[in-house]
Amino acid sequence: MQFTAKTVEEATEQGLKELNISESDAIITVIEKPTKGLFGKIKGQAVVEITKKDSVVNNSIANDNGDDKETVFLAKVLELLGLNAKIEKSFKEEKEILTLISEDSSSVIGFRGEVLDALQTLAGAVANIGKDEYKKIVVDCENYRGKREETLISLAHRLEEKATEMKREVMLEPMTPFERRIIHNALLNSTTVTTRSDGKDPLRYVVIVPNEKDEFSKPYNAGRKRDGNRHDNKRHDGKKPMGKRQSGSSGERKRNSFTFGTYLGNSMKDKE
């Protein structure tokens, strides 16, 4: 059910009272928030949708009649994960944006957005069950998507200069298709470099190629593992690198850390 009031808090309180349930037993989705006009005057009203958790049955995901099944599903997943978060729905261009608001935002986002990516993959899949027209879903928290995009664009231009100066290919760390696409687009109009993607998911990565390349030089590996070591632990001359010996038996090796390799149920193949 939807409830309207001057503020989100008032609408939520009104809905919980009318449904006679506590906030912990409810799935609360903010449909619309009032906006500030000239001189701080509030325009519009807050609209929230409140659903009792017990009323969400297992087959709700497969019900094509509901336009909000991805929100209900996402709320249930968050509950199962033990993540206390509210969901705000908004629309931008042709995308539906589900913003998660939580006091524990770091757990909601995960390392480099891994948790957000996984939630978005699931929400996007659920939203498009039985749909003829594709519906793009974005799951965000504290504007992580926008901040990450700015970081990657800045990184792309720094490494563009490095590749041009060294006349060597520069390999980035493995990224999701969405993140690789940001790098490709950032350097699309570059006059000094081109880009391509190499490797296989989930370890697929972008290579920045200078137009004036030294054909005898080896690629520069700008990608690093989480522990700070390079992905390629071999020297370009084929010799073993100098350094401390690893503990354990000689045959024991660390496994690579894997990330969620697809983007949000909205994955598109990126540039080759």
Side-chain angles (χ1 to χ4, degrees):
M1 294 181 63
Q2 291 189 358
F3 301 90
T4 304
K6 290 183 179 180
T7 66
V8 172
E9 291 74 17
E10 289 180 9
T12 301
E13 185 179 351
Q14 175 188 330
L16 294 174
K17 185 175 182 180
E18 187 170 327
L19 294 173
N20 194 28
I21 57 176
S22 65
E23 187 172 346
S24 60
D25 294 325
I27 297 172
I28 303 169
T29 306
V30 180
I31 305 298
E32 187 176 341
K33 292 197 297 185
T35 58
K36 285 187 178 181
L38 191 62
F39 305 116
K41 186 177 181 180
I42 302 298
K43 291 184 178 181
Q45 288 187 308
V47 180
V48 300
E49 183 174 80
I50 301 178
T51 307
K52 190 175 181 181
K53 287 181 179 178
D54 293 343
S55 67
V56 181
V57 295
N58 292 332
N59 64 357
S60 64
I61 300 171
N63 181 8
D64 295 339
N65 298 323
D67 292 330
D68 205 34
K69 56 188 177 183
E70 63 273 11
T71 308
V72 175
F73 173 80
L74 187 58
K76 290 296 290 182
V77 172
L78 290 168
E79 180 188 358
L80 290 172
L81 292 174
L83 298 174
N84 186 18
K86 290 184 179 180
I87 304 172
E88 285 189 0
K89 180 188 288 189
S90 60
F91 297 90
K92 185 177 181 181
E93 298 172 350
E94 298 181 354
K95 296 180 290 187
E96 177 181 309
I97 302 173
L98 302 177
T99 302
L100 307 183
I101 301 173
S102 174
E103 293 181 357
D104 189 11
S105 58
S106 60
S107 295
V108 173
I109 295 171
F111 179 80
R112 292 191 180 171
E114 286 180 337
V115 176
L116 276 185
D117 284 355
L119 293 174
Q120 188 168 290
T121 299
L122 295 172
V126 169
N128 286 286
I129 291 176
K131 296 282 186 179
D132 294 328
E133 187 174 346
Y134 185 76
K135 184 177 183 181
K136 188 169 184 178
I137 305 295
V138 175
V139 178
D140 202 357
C141 180
E142 292 190 353
N143 193 33
Y144 173 81
R145 300 292 183 196
K147 293 174 183 176
R148 179 65 173 159
E149 182 172 359
E150 290 177 3
T151 299
L152 290 174
I153 290 174
S154 176
L155 174 67
H157 289 303
R158 289 201 309 272
L159 295 181
E160 174 190 14
E161 293 179 1
K162 196 174 192 69
T164 303
E165 181 183 349
M166 295 190 306
K167 296 184 179 182
R168 294 168 60 184
E169 292 184 356
V170 174
M171 301 184 300
L172 280 71
E173 65 184 353
M175 296 178 182
T176 64
F178 170 70
E179 292 182 330
R180 295 196 301 270
R181 200 174 305 119
I182 291 174
I183 300 291
H184 289 310
N185 290 337
L187 302 180
L188 186 63
N189 297 319
S190 173
T191 58
T192 60
V193 300
T194 57
T195 61
R196 70 172 188 268
S197 288
D198 280 347
K200 295 182 179 180
D201 285 324
L203 299 178
R204 196 161 168 79
Y205 56 92
V206 174
V207 180
I208 300 175
V209 185
N211 294 339
E212 297 182 12
K213 187 176 72 169
D214 180 357
E215 297 297 334
F216 298 100
S217 66
K218 298 292 185 181
Y220 174 78
N221 189 355
R224 296 176 181 271
K225 288 183 179 179
R226 293 186 191 177
D227 60 5
N229 297 323
R230 295 188 183 281
H231 289 291
D232 182 4
N233 200 32
K234 294 180 179 179
R235 286 173 35 164
H236 292 309
D237 57 9
K239 296 180 181 180
K240 293 183 179 180
M242 301 288 288
K244 294 180 180 180
R245 297 180 61 183
Q246 293 184 355
S247 60
S249 63
S250 59
E252 183 181 350
R253 294 187 179 179
K254 275 189 175 181
R255 292 185 177 181
N256 287 329
S257 297
F258 288 87
T259 60
F260 294 99
T262 57
Y263 171 63
L264 338 346
N266 303 314
S267 179
M268 295 170 58
K269 276 194 173 182
D270 67 334
K271 177 180 173 183
E272 287 295 328

